[in-house]
Amino acid sequence: MSRTDWEVVIGLEVHSQLNTASKIFSGASTAFGAEPNVQASAVDIALPGVLPVLNRGAVERAIRFGLAIGATVAPKSVFARKNYFYPDLPKGYQISQFELPVVQGGAITIRVGEGDKAYEKTVQLTRAHLEEDAGKSLHEDFHGMSGIDLNRAGTPLLEIVSEPDMRSSAEAVAYARALHALVRWIDICDGNMQEGSFRCDANVSVRPRGQEKFGTRREIKNLNSFRFLQQAIDYEVQWQIERLEDGGTIQQATVLFDPDSGETRMMRSKEDAHDYRYFPDPDLLPLVISEEWIARVRGGMPELPEAMKARFVADFGLSAYDATTLTASKEVAAYFQATVDAAGKANAKLCANWVMGELAARLNKAELDIAASPVAPAQLAGMVARIADNTISNAIAKKVFEALWNGEGGDGADAADQVIDCQGLKQVTDSGAIEGLIDEVLAANPKSVEEFRAGKEKAFNALVGQVMKASKGKANPGQVNELLRRKLQA
């Protein structure tokens, strides 16, 4: 069988660390980077006589997520004890939710690929439930032993479980990116993957194309980058296909991805739910969420990416691709909106081009987030306005942008005007002056004139370039083209 004879089936479980100041069942800090074991309270490690108290802020963040994905927020959900032994789980169980999760159902629409081959797909979600995180095992700098840091124990998590709707690593990565953007957009998680705030487990199986029954899945644990997610899935898919084609079988298992070798390796045989001996936690009452509570949370929700995307298309005439790019993160969307507000709705497309083009390229090269951009929205808007009214050309605008990036012109909305005036960059639009430059260029380039009249269009472009050079880039390109062609055809 060839690779195309197999169908890949992927579902993701994403652990999103909620950005509360304290833990889900205690008042201990969730701040990252503290010395080991200084933020593990008696509640977090379940010392005798302690009782957990649910963090209201964690629940509100779960409600916010449920509303954002169009899910059902359960009026009553239950916390359970998930029993298993692991070195960094000192109490021998994890408080989680099982049969009655706080968020049920919902969906996320993703965009996969680029250009003409891009397509949209809706991924259904099974659930999202609240739970506490475990501690962390440390395997370096301990002279052959492992250390345990319990600072992370009790940190609030929202585990988001998808249906097995994805059929390629590209779809899985697109879904993970969309989910990552969403939890940051609605401000429930900082999304810092290096610090473990957003981690993915990928359930991967393959089956002969056309077969309805799912193959046996293997779960790839704790993937903390989109690149590793794609590499791990691609390797695992190829490994499973080759094993089945060689006559072997797939054993349900939990595996780890080694970024150095690019391979997955088995960690343990995969447990099923009954292995964890779930039962309702006797120390916690059922979580009851009223309609009034949900309504209050809904009232504080920001405009969501899909709604903003549709508005950008309807109000600003942007393409679906542009609108998707500009709503990829809350920060980019906010920057673009502020730029349009300052430059005017009529200049929205021009603003979009500069935000997605020159600004994005500069930020990427400098390894800066858009929130740290040296060019503020009002400054970019001022420059866009000067392009729109023909004070400067697009080519000259790049010089203006360079100056703004370097802090020239001040930090006000008139910064672009200051740069244009100080550097003498105003575009030449006087027809007489442009015609004079054209006459000089034609006289100095008789060969190019003959070649154009002989049908060589490249000669025309060369003459345009000479006129622009003579004007030091200041002549209006549209006028140059029109007047030059008129003279050559006279």
Side-chain angles (χ1 to χ4, degrees):
M1 299 173 72
S2 69
R3 173 70 183 267
T4 56
D5 295 325
W6 294 93
E7 183 176 47
V8 179
V9 178
I10 303 166
L12 291 189
E13 299 173 12
V14 174
H15 294 82
S16 179
Q17 180 177 314
L18 301 176
N19 57 1
T20 55
S22 58
K23 295 183 180 179
I24 189 168
F25 298 119
S26 81
S29 173
T30 58
F32 181 82
E35 289 297 312
N37 299 309
V38 299
Q39 294 175 182
S41 75
V43 173
D44 303 327
I45 58 178
L47 291 182
V50 300
L51 289 173
V53 178
L54 181 58
N55 185 328
R56 184 181 181 88
V59 178
E60 293 207 343
R61 285 161 175 77
I63 296 172
R64 206 179 301 169
F65 179 75
L67 293 174
I69 63 169
T72 298
V73 177
K76 179 181 177 181
S77 59
V78 174
F79 284 97
R81 290 187 180 181
K82 180 181 181 182
N83 297 274
Y84 63 96
F85 172 78
Y86 210 67
D88 52 20
L89 192 69
K91 56 193 180 186
Y93 63 86
Q94 177 190 33
I95 301 177
S96 184
Q97 293 185 315
F98 179 50
E99 292 179 336
L100 294 173
V102 64
V103 174
Q104 301 163 15
I108 290 180
T109 299
I110 61 174
R111 185 176 179 84
V112 188
E114 297 180 358
D116 295 338
K117 295 182 178 180
Y119 62 93
E120 287 195 345
K121 178 172 184 169
T122 298
V123 177
Q124 300 296 324
L125 274 68
T126 308
R127 58 190 280 147
H129 60 263
L130 287 164
E131 65 182 21
E132 62 179 346
D133 207 347
K136 186 176 183 181
S137 297
L138 307 174
H139 306 295
E140 297 178 0
D141 302 323
F142 287 95
H143 308 288
M145 299 183 292
S146 292
I148 302 295
D149 180 5
L150 296 176
N151 281 345
R152 201 172 67 181
T155 297
L157 298 178
L158 187 67
E159 181 172 343
I160 304 161
V161 183
S162 81
E163 289 290 306
D165 286 349
M166 290 155 277
R167 296 293 177 264
S168 68
S169 61
E171 289 187 357
V173 170
Y175 166 80
R177 286 187 180 277
L179 193 58
H180 183 262
L182 179 61
V183 297
R184 295 180 67 240
W185 190 289
I186 60 177
D187 193 27
I188 67 172
C189 172
D190 65 21
N192 192 318
M193 300 181 81
Q194 289 74 27
E195 295 179 1
S197 298
F198 189 90
R199 331 191 277 275
C200 302
D201 300 340
N203 288 288
V204 180
S205 66
V206 298
R207 63 184 175 184
R209 193 168 297 280
Q211 175 181 297
E212 291 188 14
K213 183 181 177 182
F214 289 137
T216 302
R217 75 184 188 279
R218 302 214 311 168
E219 182 182 22
I220 313 170
K221 294 288 288 185
N222 290 330
L223 297 163
N224 65 352
S225 84
F226 301 121
R227 181 165 59 91
F228 291 165
L229 176 63
Q230 181 145 18
Q231 290 175 349
I233 291 173
D234 286 341
Y235 177 84
E236 181 65 24
V237 166
Q238 189 61 36
W239 182 89
Q240 290 190 26
I241 290 174
E242 290 177 357
R243 185 169 181 83
L244 291 171
E245 289 184 344
D246 288 342
T249 58
I250 305 297
Q251 178 186 4
Q252 186 172 322
T254 298
V255 302
L256 295 176
F257 176 67
D258 183 346
D260 294 329
S261 66
E263 300 176 351
T264 57
R265 55 182 174 81
M266 185 167 167
M267 180 183 178
R268 60 178 181 265
S269 60
K270 175 64 177 172
E271 302 91 343
D272 288 312
H274 63 265
D275 294 315
Y276 292 117
R277 296 182 292 113
Y278 282 98
F279 64 86
D281 191 301
D283 292 334
L284 288 162
L285 291 170
L287 171 59
V288 177
I289 300 174
S290 66
E291 285 296 331
E292 291 77 16
W293 193 359
I294 295 173
R296 285 198 302 273
V297 175
R298 182 182 284 112
M301 291 281 285
E303 183 181 20
L304 296 174
E306 286 300 315
M308 186 176 285
K309 190 188 307 180
R311 179 169 62 81
F312 283 177
V313 171
D315 291 358
F316 302 148
L318 301 184
S319 67
Y321 174 82
D322 286 355
T324 299
T325 302
L326 291 166
T327 55
S329 80
K330 191 175 184 178
E331 294 78 13
V332 171
Y335 187 102
F336 169 70
Q337 183 69 65
T339 305
V340 173
D341 289 345
K345 184 176 175 180
N347 295 325
K349 176 58 179 172
L350 198 52
C351 292
N353 291 345
W354 276 89
V355 171
M356 295 186 299
E358 192 72 21
L359 178 65
R362 283 304 191 93
L363 292 171
N364 185 55
K365 184 177 180 181
E367 298 183 349
L368 291 175
D369 291 329
I370 197 164
S373 171
V375 181
Q379 292 175 309
L380 184 62
M383 189 192 78
V384 165
R386 296 293 81 81
I387 300 172
D389 66 13
N390 286 322
T391 298
I392 57 174
S393 65
N394 267 308
I396 294 174
K398 290 186 177 181
K399 295 181 181 179
V400 177
F401 184 87
E402 175 76 23
L404 295 176
W405 183 272
N406 292 327
E408 298 176 40
D411 54 8
D414 63 346
D417 289 334
Q418 296 289 339
V419 171
I420 292 167
D421 289 341
C422 289
Q423 297 189 18
L425 296 176
K426 282 187 179 179
Q427 187 167 236
V428 177
T429 56
D430 179 77
S431 297
I434 295 174
E435 283 188 357
L437 292 173
I438 290 174
D439 289 339
E440 292 176 10
V441 168
L442 294 180
N445 295 274
K447 185 177 179 181
S448 293
V449 173
E450 290 178 13
E451 288 176 348
F452 170 76
R453 288 174 174 161
K456 293 183 179 180
E457 190 65 25
K458 285 184 179 180
F460 180 80
N461 295 333
L463 290 168
V464 169
Q466 289 298 316
V467 176
M468 294 303 298
K469 183 179 180 181
S471 72
K472 298 181 180 179
K474 296 179 185 179
N476 182 298
Q479 286 181 277
V480 169
N481 274 267
E482 180 185 349
L483 294 172
L484 177 60
R485 194 171 292 275
R486 189 186 304 166
K487 281 185 174 290
L488 288 169
Q489 292 174 344

